[in-house]
Every structure is written in structure tokens, then in C-alpha cells.
Amino acid sequence: MADGAVMSSEASADTGGGAPIGVVIPAYGHPKFLAEAIISACTQSTERAILVVVVEDGCPFAETGQVVRGLLGRFPGRLFHLRQANTRLPGARNTGIRFLLDMAPDLDAVFFLDADNRLEPYAIESYRRVLGDNPATGWAYPDIALFGLSWGEEGFDIRETAPDYSVLKHLSGNISEAGSLVRADLFRAGLFFDESMRAGFEDWDFWLSAIAAGFRGRRVRDAGFLYRRRPESMLSDARRGEDPLLVRMKRKHADLFNPRFLMRTVEREAPTFALWLADRQEVLFFADPLRLGRAYPLADFIDLCRRRLFSPREIFFPEQVFITTAAIWRAMTQRPRNLRTVFWRLRGAASDILFCRVADGVIGDLHIGAGDAADAGGFTAIHKSVFLRFLAGRMDMPSVPDRAVVAGFPVDRADAGPQADAAALLDGLRRHLPVPRAHLHHHQRRYAGPDADTVRAGLVDDLTRADEIVQPFPLVRDASTPLVALAVPTRFLTCERACDRLRRIVRLLSERGAAVTLVAEFDPTLQGLGRAARLAGEGVVDLVPLRCMTPDGPDSLGYRPYLGHRAAIQLKPGQVLEIQTALMQMDAVVALGASAMVECLGALRPYGVKGFVLADPAFMDERDTRAQTLARLLAYEHAEDAIFTDTAEIVTELAAMGVPRGKIDPSSSLADRVLPARPRPVPSGTVAPGWRPKDGFVFVVTYGRSGSTLLQTLLQSIDGYFFRGENANAFLPVFDSYRRALSLRHKFNIRRPVPPTGPWYGADEVDPDAYARALTDVFIRQVLRPSAGARVVGFKEIRYHEIPETLFEPYLDFIRDMFAPAKIIFNMRDWRAVIKSSWWATMLEGKVRDMVETADAAYRDYADRHADSCFLLNYDDYKADPEALKPLFDFLGEPFSPDHVRGLMTNRLKH
């Protein structure tokens, strides 16, 4: 129960009928409506146990408490009353949640009902039926039935915010009303309302946190939830201060607005492209042409077209539709490294309809212009707006659309097969569709969610930061594969020495597991571009051509003076935006020699992309004298994480210019810096009953956002260690069950045998220790699931502060006994750093400080009394100096490598 909260009902909870469902009603004002809300929650038509808690959140009106107290006797064991100082809506909800979790450990779900809203008698059952048993479904949200200030007949007006749940739409605005049923596992996973969100948007913030934790919502069509519409509300206040709240939301949930997450979500919910294989009557949907998935029957595409025409605001539709044949598509996929760039260029083309000829050659800029029908080549690109207008009968296919040559694919006209006649195919498709016209809607039900096209347009801003000047690069990355871009001026590739050097770098990075993108920087002479395309076939995933300006050529952008040196400018601002968009999902970018890429490194840093330069003479020439090249490296030094070179003169010149010596490394360290070491946990497996690791167990005891995930990563990297993350204190119930069994045995021991006719028959035969060891064995095999080859097994847990203080020491003693031999690492951190994390954002600062200081004191006390098996560690110490970890490795009896530890600590953790 939260500090200051008082339960005003002496009745115990009525939890008959299975796992209960809780209802939390924050109360501040609205005493007139509060009784309606309480009665509607307490009188649900269900066999389930319903626990309703009203949290009086510092309400100044005496009538509020009087209303609740007047109903307590009517609903004993079902209605509970808490009072606390005002914390606003998020704090009141959290208080109710924690109260319910304490009262009913098997709590199934929680419904949030504001004091001025109400439920129909069937509502909870409707919600619970939709919530289902899939643990990934975190909440069930309603269509909103408005009453009060409403335009509907008889005072009701139903709004559909998301008939089909969409993460993309939820990122653009809140589509889940707070009046939702939330699976209790969300709260057990540490998700609560952010109590600092006092100005509004607290509901949206909570749902986004749930999305980040892997949960999703489901819509309840006939929910029985009634929302009272009033002229003024917290939402009205939030709308007035919307802009700073939106900035705060995007900053707090930056991982959800990260291009990597957005592109994965686009792939699942709203693929950018549709590729119609006309001769197979199949359609491929994708956001990344290298991740196609399965082909859908043409009938499914027709159905999508029909739904889009009738519900244009609700339905996502591909931005471009391509029509071709299977033979042409097969030829294009033979050079997959060219595909992403081609689809990127096609999407960015200004023409609404392009008849394309697919040709062999070097991939470069898209050549668009007039041409005859013979040049069509059977590959047609149609923009969404034109495609849908044509299907709706509002336009005809133009007789002379623009033509384009798509270079980079070995297509022989003799092998291409019959050409796809786009106009005839579209005419046939249109005949399958009804003529769009005003269709019937329920006169009191309407769609009120975000517009699908507006959502996608907003995503362009997050994926490009370029105000739609540049379209998002069609890359959906595999999170487990590092992505590295190498930028090379192609003029150097006429030299075999440079080609061999490039091959070795590509091979080295590929052997480390990286997917390599080659940025081929060519000048107007196209010198070496063909060689770059051929080299791209040797371990390169993507080829991105970049046209650069020559410093002294007719298209020169000139020089800029910097600290007494001249730094050539080779890229226009629009080109920097293009490269920023194409490479923002990379882990690292390496500019080779005189590469123009150094001009883009600063634009990529906000996305977490590390920038490096290989100052190798093989990629420098006389035209760009070495001094000018080094001057460019100096000019952009702030964006360069390291410069690699083995040439002593270059080291001396860079240092003399002012480049910090700490940024200059030998070329041999390139792979380690670009691709830092990753943890190598032992693969999981199945062990036999009774199995124990040869060198025992290790446990990390801590609290949330103490840096324990970094410590987990370090332990995982030790040879033979099998170290799991947190498990929601899954072992604590074993301890609780052991204590109950022990209490039972103390009551009925062998000196007091229980006869067969006794109600506790068999209690005297219980062996608590054997019982606990059997449960521990199951926990090892079913929860930890180690490999039989592991020599040390363990896990970290952050929820020890939730254990009553009187049980903390007995619980750790129990762990050390059950997992003997066991070592415990207490990981601590300054509370002022802990409070900055969003993990604790739902709690007041004073509470977090008290929790951290109380936990740290308990850790020190326990470690002092068990020094042989416990170790105290402070995150702030080893984060500042990795050498501070050496005593820990000595305690564990493991070798310590400072370089290995530093490599692991350079990885940015995502959690």
C-alpha cells in the first residue's frame, strides 16, 4: 500500500470464482458521478471475483469520501477505499494497482475506470473474453461510447479509434482509452504509470511503455464502456500544452521512434511496396526488397484495394505498386546488393507512373525521360495515389507516361519472357472492384482514429529528418547482425593495391559477422565505378552510389578554410541528407582515405552511428594532396571516433594539426573498434535431474537501473558462464512454499504423528528440505535451462526491494543453501543516477531514494557478515574505470582482461 493510504473497509477480499479482476477508480472531485461508477463496477454480471478499489486522491470535497463509505456496507469484500495525499491521476492509479497486487497475488487483470465514467453490466466479461490467454496481448481497449456532452441521438455517440490494433497508429497518438482491461503481468513486469506525467498524456505514455516491453492491445468492439464527455477535462488541458508534451514523449520513448524499430513495424503493419507478379497472379508485400516473406494471392490484394477504397482513413496501403513478371523479378534478385538502392530511387522519383526498362550495367542515378513503348521493359512503378484514383474510376492510365532505365540487373530481353501490360492488368483489376460510393455506416458509430496516410507521412519525418525531401531507405535490419558501411572513392579502385585492401577489409568485417554496405563515391568521370560494382559482389550486402564533386572541377563546391588549412567540400546539403537517411541504421561507418563520407559523420551521430576513418595511402592521391585530405579529417574530427593509420608521417601530421593522439590508432585495431567484442553466453539446453555446474552458482542482487545489465553482459562473456537475466523473482515462491512446509512440519513433527482420520493426515511426514531441493532442481532445469557444458550458472534479479525487510536475509540464506556453492554480487549505484531512469519515473523521488539507500544498507550488512561468498560492487566505479572490475574477477577466480572488458562496455545496451 502506498505511503499515507488507509483502507477504510475491514472486510476481507472476496476472491471466489478464480483469479480476480481488479477495478481502480481514482477519485478527485465528481462526487455526483462517483456513485454511478462504483455501482457499475461492483454489479458486473460475471462469475469472476471483482475487487473495486477507490483511491481518494487528496480530494478537497468531503462528499467524495462520504459517497464511498456509504457504499462499503453494500459491497463488503468487493469494495475498498484508500485515501492519500494528492498525486494526480497516475499516482492514484499506481496506488490502486499496488494495493490489488498485495491483496490478491493471483490477480488476473486490472480495469481503469475514471470516476465520471461507468460500465454496462456485461463490460468486464466482454473485455476479458477479448484479452484472451495470449501473454503478448497486454490490454483490451474499447470503442468509446460517449455520453453527456454528445451529438448522438439519445445522448450516445460511439467512436472507433482502432478497429485493428496498430503500433504505428499508437505512436502517432493515443488510440487506447484508459478505460481498458490490463493484464496484471504488465505490472508484475514493472510497468506502472509515470507519476511525473501530471499535465496529461499519462495513458499514452503507459501504453508506449507497454509496447516497448513487448505487449500489444486488442480492440473490444462492444465493450460496454461509457465515457462521459465534459467541456473541460485533463485531456483538454493536455491539448493546450500538447507541443512540449509531444517532445517529452518522443524523448522518453526514443527507442520506439528509432528508425530500426519503425522500419520493423512498417514491415509488419504497413509494407511500403506491393510487387504484382502478373504472370503468377501473386503479390509480394515488403518494406525491404531483401526480406520478402510469402507471396499473397491476387485475391488478397484485391480485397485490400476494396477495403482501402471504402475506408481510406483506416487502411494502410503500399506507397508504390510495381507490376512485372516473375522472370524479370528473378533476374533482379540475382543481384540483391542493388535492390534496396533501386527501390529507394524509384520511391523518390517525382513521376507518378514510370515504365521502366531493366538493364545490365552499373547501378547509378535513375534516368527518367521520354521514350517509346518498346523501352518499357515490363517493369512498371505506380504511386499509391494514382493507383487508387485509377481503381476508383477517377482517372485513366496516361498514354505516354515517363520512362526510366533501371541499371544494374543482368536481364536479357530474350529471357525476360512476355512483358506485363500494366494498363490491361489494371483495367482487369478495376473490373473486380465495385464502384466506390457512399456506403452505409451506423449513424451513431464513426471512425475517430488517426488517418493512415497521415501516420505514414509523420513516420517519414522520423525516418529521414528531412521533411519528405528524401524517402526512407528500404532497410529492415536484423538486430543480431551488425551493419557497417565502407565509403570508398571509386577512382582509387583502378589500382589493384586499393582493390586488395578493400577486399581484405570487407572479408575481415564479414568474418566478424557484419553485413557490409559499400558506398561507392564516384565523380563525373565515373572512374572506377564499374570496378566498385564488381567488387560489391564479394561479401557486400548493399551498394549505394554517391556522386561527389571534384574540388577543382567545373562543378566544384570549393574549399572552406579551417585552422589555417583548406578543407574541400564534395557534397551538397541534399546529398548529406540522402546519406544520413541511407545509413542511419548502421552501427558504424568507415571512410577510406579521401572519402567524402567524413562530411556525413556528424549527421549520423544522433542515430548512434559511430564514425571512423582509415587514413591509408592506398586511398589518397596527388590530386587531393595528403595535406588537403588530412585537413578534411581535422575539420570533421569532432564526428570521428577514431582514425586508423600505420603511416608514421600521417600520425605526426595529424597530431601537429591538432587531432588528439587518443583518436589515432593502428589499422590492426580497426575490426575491434568498429565491431566491439560481444558476449558469448553458453547455449541453453536440457540438463538431467540433479545436475549441478562444476564451479557453482553466481547471483547478482540489485535494483532496477543500477547498471546490472552491463554486469550481466560481462559475466556472460566469461568462458563457461551461463548467466541469465531477471526472471520476475520466480524463485521467491519456492522460498515461500518452503517456509509454509517448514511451518507445517514444526506443527506436526514425528513426535506428534497424525492419524489417518485426522484433517492434517500426512503433515508429519513432510520433509521441507527435500521438498525445497526438488523445487530448486525444477527451477534450474525449467527456468534457467543451462547447457550441460556450463561450469558456472546464475542470474540477476532486481526485485529484492519488494521483499519484506524481515525476509531479505533469510531469503538470501536460502538461496546460498539451495545453490551451494554460491556467490552473491551486490550491484549498487548512486540514487541520484538511478532516479533519472524511466524505470523509476512512476515513483516520487523521495521513495526511490529511500528504497536505494535501504537496499544498499542491507547489501552492505549482509556482505559484511558473509564476506567469503559476497562481493560489493558499485556501478559508478567500474563505469568510470573498467580496472575497478579486477577485484570482482579475482573474487570469482577468473582471469581479467582490461581490453576485453573495455570492448564490451563500448556497446550501447538497448533495454
Side-chain angles (χ1 to χ4, degrees):
M1 194 180 302
D3 291 346
V6 178
M7 187 171 75
S8 299
S9 172
E10 297 300 324
S12 59
D14 175 10
T15 57
I21 288 178
V23 179
V24 175
I25 306 177
Y28 186 92
H30 315 304
K32 176 181 176 64
F33 304 135
L34 179 58
E36 295 180 23
I38 294 173
I39 293 171
S40 73
C42 290
T43 56
Q44 288 293 296
S45 298
T46 177
E47 296 296 321
R48 304 173 187 274
I50 303 296
L51 303 177
V52 180
V53 54
V54 179
V55 182
E56 188 179 346
D57 191 43
C59 182
F61 306 120
E63 296 91 334
T64 298
Q66 293 169 4
V67 166
V68 185
R69 290 190 293 273
L71 292 171
L72 286 172
R74 182 175 171 183
F75 303 108
R78 176 169 291 199
L79 176 62
F80 303 88
H81 181 201
L82 309 180
R83 296 193 306 274
Q84 65 177 20
N86 182 257
T87 59
R88 302 294 295 263
L89 192 57
R93 286 179 179 157
N94 287 342
T95 295
I97 295 165
R98 292 186 172 107
F99 171 81
L100 289 168
L101 290 171
D102 287 342
M103 169 174 281
D106 61 339
L107 188 71
D108 178 56
V110 176
F111 187 89
F112 299 113
L113 181 63
D114 287 350
D116 52 346
N117 300 332
R118 63 177 188 248
L119 297 172
E120 295 285 14
Y122 60 84
I124 292 296
E125 277 299 320
S126 295
Y127 276 97
R128 188 59 188 86
R129 186 164 48 251
V130 172
L131 185 64
D133 297 322
N134 182 354
T137 301
W139 70 97
Y141 63 91
D143 289 344
I144 303 173
L146 302 174
F147 72 108
L149 186 66
S150 171
W151 294 280
E153 291 184 13
E154 301 178 359
F156 288 90
D157 178 17
I158 299 175
R159 302 295 178 89
E160 301 174 350
T161 56
D164 297 307
Y165 182 73
S166 164
V167 171
L168 292 179
K169 290 183 179 180
H170 217 159
L171 291 175
S172 71
N174 190 22
I175 59 174
S176 292
E177 157 63 30
S180 299
L181 184 67
V182 182
R183 198 179 300 277
D185 287 346
L186 268 73
F187 311 120
R188 296 188 182 101
L191 293 174
F192 290 89
F193 287 88
D194 184 343
E195 294 183 19
S196 69
M197 298 289 291
R198 294 183 165 216
F201 286 8
E202 70 285 340
D203 304 336
W204 188 25
D205 173 74
F206 177 76
W207 303 130
L208 293 190
S209 296
I211 290 170
F215 297 100
R216 300 294 183 267
R218 284 191 68 190
R219 172 224 192 178
V220 188
R221 190 178 191 280
D222 297 307
F225 169 73
L226 304 179
Y227 181 95
R228 192 186 305 269
R229 185 165 187 167
R230 297 179 290 113
E232 278 295 310
S233 65
M234 278 187 65
L235 185 59
S236 303
D237 294 338
R239 293 301 182 200
R240 281 190 282 269
E242 184 173 87
D243 288 345
L245 282 173
L246 288 174
V247 171
R248 178 179 179 182
M249 292 287 285
K250 285 198 172 186
R251 184 182 298 119
K252 179 179 178 182
H253 301 285
D255 286 348
L256 297 182
F257 293 94
N258 181 287
R260 300 178 183 184
F261 179 83
L262 288 176
M263 285 301 295
R264 288 197 299 269
T265 309
V266 166
E267 180 182 55
R268 286 193 302 268
E269 296 185 0
T272 315
F273 306 108
L275 183 74
W276 181 359
L277 299 177
D279 51 341
R280 288 191 178 178
Q281 298 296 292
E282 291 178 344
V283 179
L284 303 170
F285 295 94
F286 54 91
D288 181 338
L290 299 188
R291 292 167 56 102
L292 294 179
R294 72 182 182 90
Y296 289 82
L298 180 60
D300 288 358
F301 182 56
I302 293 173
D303 181 63
L304 174 64
C305 295
R306 180 185 297 110
R307 290 189 293 121
R308 168 66 190 217
L309 291 173
F310 283 124
S311 303
R313 296 187 65 243
E314 299 177 37
I315 306 299
F316 287 111
F317 196 84
E319 290 295 289
Q320 270 186 312
V321 178
F322 298 93
I323 303 176
T324 189
T325 63
I328 292 176
W329 180 240
R330 185 166 52 251
M332 294 179 71
T333 57
Q334 289 176 6
R335 286 189 183 171
R337 63 187 177 277
N338 294 349
L339 280 176
R340 284 176 176 146
T341 298
V342 161
F343 278 88
W344 186 38
R345 299 293 190 200
L346 286 171
R347 188 180 175 195
S351 301
D352 289 332
I353 303 177
L354 278 175
F355 280 178
C356 304
R357 178 168 62 84
V358 181
D360 200 358
V362 177
I363 185 171
D365 292 333
L366 215 60
H367 301 288
I368 301 175
D372 55 42
D375 287 333
F379 189 83
T380 304
I382 308 174
H383 189 270
K384 169 184 65 181
S385 60
V386 172
F387 187 86
L388 292 171
R389 286 203 304 270
F390 179 84
L391 293 185
R394 293 197 294 268
M395 69 169 289
D396 293 321
M397 182 68 70
S399 57
V400 186
D402 287 333
R403 315 285 176 177
V405 176
V406 180
F409 303 102
V411 177
D412 191 309
R413 282 181 176 269
D415 299 330
Q419 304 300 298
D421 187 336
L425 289 166
L426 288 174
D427 279 329
L429 180 62
R430 183 159 61 179
R431 286 194 294 271
H432 282 86
L433 296 170
V435 177
R437 61 187 63 180
H439 55 293
L440 293 177
H441 281 292
H442 193 293
H443 71 296
Q444 290 180 208
R445 179 182 287 271
R446 70 190 70 180
Y447 176 72
D451 178 78
D453 288 346
T454 302
V455 170
R456 194 191 286 275
L459 289 177
V460 170
D461 293 338
D462 289 304
L463 287 168
T464 66
R465 303 291 195 272
D467 298 325
E468 300 189 49
I469 297 172
V470 183
Q471 293 298 322
F473 192 73
L475 164 64
V476 180
R477 65 169 292 174
D478 178 359
S480 64
T481 303
L483 301 185
V484 179
L486 297 177
V488 57
T490 61
R491 65 179 181 274
F492 296 113
L493 299 182
T494 56
C495 171
E496 195 58 36
R497 176 191 173 197
C499 291
D500 287 343
R501 187 80 173 102
L502 179 60
R503 287 190 189 97
R504 288 199 300 272
I505 297 171
V506 170
R507 189 180 309 115
L508 176 64
L509 296 174
S510 298
E511 289 172 352
R512 290 282 188 106
V516 179
T517 294
L518 182 64
V519 181
E521 301 177 2
F522 65 97
D523 59 25
T525 68
L526 301 182
Q527 190 178 15
L529 184 56
R531 191 71 178 271
R534 288 190 293 276
L535 286 171
E538 304 175 21
V540 170
V541 174
D542 281 316
L543 175 63
V544 178
L546 174 63
R547 177 168 177 158
C548 302
M549 308 303 160
T550 53
D552 300 311
D555 56 355
S556 171
L557 297 174
Y559 294 83
R560 297 290 186 272
Y562 184 75
L563 296 180
H565 303 278
R566 291 201 315 159
I569 305 300
Q570 294 183 261
L571 298 177
K572 298 178 181 178
Q575 291 177 296
V576 174
L577 285 175
E578 281 195 357
I579 290 301
Q580 169 188 319
T581 301
L583 303 184
M584 61 171 55
Q585 293 194 60
M586 297 290 120
D587 293 294
V589 173
V590 182
L592 304 183
S595 167
M597 183 58 65
V598 293
E599 299 177 34
C600 305
L601 297 182
L604 292 168
R605 286 182 73 84
Y607 301 96
V609 183
K610 294 184 177 181
F612 302 95
V613 176
L614 177 62
D616 191 315
F619 303 105
M620 299 179 184
D621 60 10
E622 294 181 3
R623 187 180 66 192
D624 249 359
T625 66
R626 189 164 76 187
Q628 291 175 351
T629 298
L630 298 184
R632 284 167 52 79
L633 300 188
L634 173 65
Y636 297 99
E637 174 269 327
H638 67 285
E640 298 159 0
D641 288 272
I643 300 173
F644 304 107
T645 185
D646 294 325
T647 305
E649 292 84 354
I650 292 179
V651 173
T652 301
E653 290 178 44
L654 286 172
M657 286 180 170
V659 175
R661 284 271 187 176
K663 279 196 172 182
I664 307 172
D665 287 336
S667 300
S668 58
S669 64
L670 184 149
D672 289 332
R673 291 294 305 276
V674 173
L675 296 171
R678 295 191 168 201
R680 300 181 302 278
V682 180
S684 60
T686 303
V687 295
W691 178 90
R692 290 293 187 273
K694 178 172 69 72
D695 294 333
F697 295 86
V698 171
F699 302 100
V700 171
V701 175
T702 187
Y703 33 78
R705 295 309 188 261
S706 67
S708 60
T709 303
L710 174 57
L711 180 56
Q712 170 189 321
T713 302
L714 292 167
L715 293 173
Q716 288 172 339
S717 72
I718 299 175
D719 184 47
Y721 271 52
F722 185 95
F723 200 85
R724 292 287 193 186
E726 58 205 67
N727 51 52
N729 247 346
F731 193 66
L732 182 61
V734 175
F735 175 57
D736 182 63
S737 186
Y738 163 74
R739 291 175 62 240
R740 290 172 182 266
L742 189 64
S743 174
L744 184 68
R745 187 57 190 269
H746 285 164
K747 183 176 182 180
F748 302 99
N749 53 45
I750 56 175
R751 292 190 298 274
R752 295 179 56 199
V754 180
T757 57
W760 293 90
Y761 176 58
D764 56 316
E765 300 176 10
V766 172
D767 184 339
D769 189 69
Y771 171 63
R773 295 191 185 283
L775 291 180
T776 301
D777 185 64
V778 172
F779 178 85
I780 292 171
R781 290 186 290 114
Q782 299 300 327
V783 177
L784 299 183
R785 305 185 315 282
S787 166
R791 61 182 182 86
V792 176
V793 174
F795 63 87
K796 73 154 183 169
E797 185 53 68
I798 65 173
R799 294 169 176 82
Y800 291 91
H801 64 279
E802 298 175 358
I803 302 170
E805 290 183 29
T806 56
L807 294 180
F808 176 73
E809 182 175 354
Y811 181 42
L812 291 190
D813 289 343
F814 180 73
I815 289 175
R816 291 171 55 242
D817 183 28
M818 291 297 105
F819 294 96
K823 294 180 178 179
I824 295 178
I825 304 169
F826 294 105
N827 192 62
M828 303 181 296
R829 189 177 187 182
D830 186 272
W831 71 268
R832 284 173 287 266
V834 172
I835 193 64
K836 295 177 182 178
S837 166
S838 60
W839 174 264
W840 297 109
T842 64
M843 292 183 65
L844 299 176
E845 180 177 303
K847 289 184 179 181
V848 177
R849 177 178 181 174
D850 290 345
M851 183 280 298
V852 172
E853 291 180 345
T854 300
D856 287 352
Y859 297 168
R860 292 190 185 97
D861 182 62
Y862 193 91
D864 286 345
R865 286 183 285 107
H866 303 281
D868 59 327
S869 59
C870 296
F871 189 88
L872 287 170
L873 193 62
N874 192 295
Y875 173 83
D876 302 301
D877 293 340
Y878 63 83
K879 184 63 176 177
D881 180 11
E883 291 282 353
L885 287 166
K886 186 179 185 307
L888 170 64
F889 279 73
D890 292 341
F891 167 73
L892 297 173
E894 304 295 345
F896 178 71
S897 169
D899 292 338
H900 174 71
V901 169
R902 286 192 182 92
L904 288 171
M905 293 177 70
T906 59
N907 286 337
R908 184 183 177 188
L909 300 173
K910 296 284 187 179
H911 62 287

